[in-house]
Amino acid sequence: MTAAALAAFTVSSPTLRALASTEPSADGTRLVRDVRRSKRLVLLRAVLDAAPGGRSGETADHWALLEEAERHDPDAVRDVLHYPATGVWAEETLRRLHAPYGPPPDLGHLGALAVAAALRAGIAFTHTLRPLHGRLVLPTLGLLRPERPGRLAVTERSWDPRDPATLPLHTLPGGRTALDDLDPYRAPGPAHPAPVRPARRLTPKGHKRWDTQWSGALTLLQRYDTTRAEETVQLLRSVVPLAGGSRSSGATLPAAAGSVLARAQAPPALAATLVHEVQHGKLTALADVLTLHTADRTARHWAPWRSDPRPLEGLLHGAYAHLALAGYWQRAALYGARGAWAQHARIRAQVAAVLPVLRSHDRLTPAGREFTDSMSAAERAMDDLPPPGDQHATARRAVDRERRAWCQEHPELAAFATV
């Protein structure tokens, strides 16, 4: 669907190598953001083209309001359309539009996007929407709770953060990153192949807890790795709290580019989660414009950070995110962070164990080979600042034992765990 529109992107060798190292760079960040924006516009265009009566009726009215808002404030409209949850809605809507059976597409949400854009653009308008379950979510703004059920005529005077019927979206300290516990599309529904459960609406106490943890995490990132702190703020538009009891500390969904789902956690753990998850978003954007491999999705590879076999794509993503973590913990250790050398040694040993498998894979493209070679160069460069004592050698031996144990558990896949 997006291949033709995204084919115009070119990735120079210096930018590819910079991205492969996981180290933030101006060109890499610019490429990631441009790819995300282009892909989102193509997706929205596809929704409009596939919608019944897309050129007339309610869908056309929603689109017309968006266009009017854009004429007055393009930046405001761009932020609404490129908000991470909008991508989840657009992909789900397009899937439903092309599915012969199943739930109908939620084309009314396009009206909520248009109203949010119009409110932020500051134009005069009147637009009728249908609240769902007594609430109307306006992406990037928050939600309205109408006094009466039924259709609601929204105007430029309908949004007043001081009104008890209005619940603004919570913004985390120090930037424009939203803590999104409101948008119905902040995470895919249960039908998604890898469901994650977002938390329900947080209490003011819950928001305050997140403010404290977020501020603490950013402080640590800025202290240990300033460029990663800047990259996090630039590439993350929203954080979605995960429900209590979530096994994962964080997750990134391709449809929600610019968002991380994260469990509430202490600042040191949250900082590491942010570093880890931002890399998944970077690699997803790169893979949208550059083919790194042609392997299928068969799960056959050993990944030291998981117990289940992984397809090549999953192994590459995991190694990439953990390479960034190894670099982060190395910098944290140099600043004296407690336990950081042990974290660095363990994670670096894990990455070093799978890089030979990645680099020798016969389904890598030339770009993929250059990418994994550059990852390996970044891992070797960590030798310049080794941990004290024999921590790195000890970590390597531990990872080798884990690999042998995994091969005994999966004898049919042992050949995929080593070169």
Side-chain angles (χ1 to χ4, degrees):
M1 177 189 67
T2 60
L6 297 178
F9 282 93
T10 58
V11 184
S12 67
S13 282
T15 300
L16 181 64
R17 290 194 295 270
L19 282 168
S21 74
T22 78
E23 294 297 324
S25 69
D27 288 343
T29 298
R30 188 179 305 112
L31 176 72
V32 170
R33 296 177 76 171
D34 289 348
V35 168
R36 288 175 174 177
R37 288 168 179 164
S38 181
K39 184 177 181 181
R40 179 64 53 80
L41 291 175
V42 173
L43 183 59
L44 291 169
R45 183 80 251 177
V47 169
L48 184 64
D49 290 343
R55 304 294 177 178
S56 61
E58 281 191 2
T59 302
D61 291 342
H62 299 331
W63 197 262
L65 182 58
L66 271 172
E67 290 179 330
E68 183 181 354
E70 187 176 33
R71 285 192 289 271
H72 287 78
D73 192 341
D75 289 340
V77 177
R78 189 179 299 117
D79 190 48
V80 172
L81 294 183
H82 294 285
Y83 188 66
T86 304
V88 177
W89 165 79
E91 286 202 6
E92 176 66 14
T93 298
L94 194 61
R95 185 187 66 78
R96 292 184 183 186
L97 284 168
H98 290 290
Y101 306 105
D106 179 14
L107 291 171
H109 191 70
L110 181 60
L113 293 168
V115 165
L119 286 166
R120 293 188 54 183
I123 63 174
F125 71 96
T126 300
H127 207 71
T128 302
L129 297 176
R130 296 183 182 89
L132 183 64
H133 305 307
R135 49 186 249 168
L136 177 63
V137 174
L138 301 175
T140 75
L141 287 176
L143 64 84
L144 291 173
R145 292 171 286 200
E147 293 180 359
R148 293 180 294 276
R151 292 165 66 90
L152 176 68
V154 185
T155 73
E156 69 276 11
R157 296 180 299 277
S158 296
W159 182 259
D160 182 357
R162 298 165 299 180
D163 189 333
T166 301
L167 184 62
L169 185 65
H170 187 77
T171 301
L172 291 164
R176 59 190 290 272
T177 305
L179 183 69
D180 196 340
D181 57 345
L182 298 177
D183 198 296
Y185 292 99
R186 62 192 184 275
H192 191 271
V196 286
R197 278 199 313 121
R200 295 184 178 182
R201 189 192 314 166
L202 301 179
T203 63
K205 184 177 179 181
H207 286 155
K208 187 175 181 180
R209 180 186 181 194
W210 263 98
D211 286 349
T212 301
Q213 293 173 339
W214 172 262
S215 296
L218 280 189
T219 297
L220 292 175
L221 284 172
Q222 289 160 353
R223 180 185 306 161
Y224 302 147
D225 201 335
T226 305
T227 55
R228 289 204 191 279
E230 293 172 354
E231 180 182 64
T232 298
V233 173
Q234 289 178 8
L235 294 182
L236 277 191
R237 180 64 180 86
S238 69
V239 174
V240 176
L242 282 171
S246 297
R247 288 177 296 175
S248 175
S249 60
T252 304
L253 304 172
S259 181
V260 162
L261 295 102
R263 180 163 43 84
Q265 51 201 298
L270 181 58
T273 294
L274 295 175
V275 170
H276 183 278
E277 298 302 335
V278 164
Q279 308 313 309
H280 287 304
K282 289 162 60 178
L283 186 51
T284 295
L286 178 64
D288 280 331
V289 295
L290 196 65
T291 301
L292 299 176
H293 67 84
T294 58
D296 60 28
R297 300 195 63 82
T298 303
R300 53 168 67 97
H301 295 284
W302 167 66
W305 40 85
R306 293 183 61 138
S307 59
D308 54 330
R310 302 294 289 152
L312 181 66
E313 178 73 5
L315 185 66
L316 178 59
H317 261 273
Y320 185 67
H322 281 81
L323 177 62
L325 270 182
Y328 168 71
W329 284 119
Q330 184 180 48
R331 287 183 173 90
L334 294 170
Y335 275 88
R338 182 181 299 177
W341 275 127
Q343 290 274 31
H344 161 73
R346 176 179 61 84
I347 295 171
R348 183 189 171 189
Q350 292 175 333
V351 174
V354 300
L355 276 172
V357 174
L358 285 170
R359 295 177 66 199
S360 65
H361 203 285
D362 61 0
R363 301 309 295 268
L364 290 180
T365 64
R369 201 162 303 282
E370 182 178 5
F371 188 80
T372 53
D373 285 348
S374 297
M375 286 177 63
S376 186
E379 185 270 325
R380 290 194 305 272
M382 294 178 187
D383 280 335
D384 293 342
L385 296 167
D390 63 348
Q391 290 188 60
H392 188 42
T394 301
R396 281 181 177 269
R397 289 194 293 271
V399 170
D400 284 340
R401 288 194 297 271
E402 292 168 7
R403 172 164 36 199
R404 290 194 295 271
W406 189 88
C407 289
Q408 290 175 353
E409 237 183 283
H410 305 276
E412 74 285 3
L413 300 176
F416 297 100
T418 187
V419 176

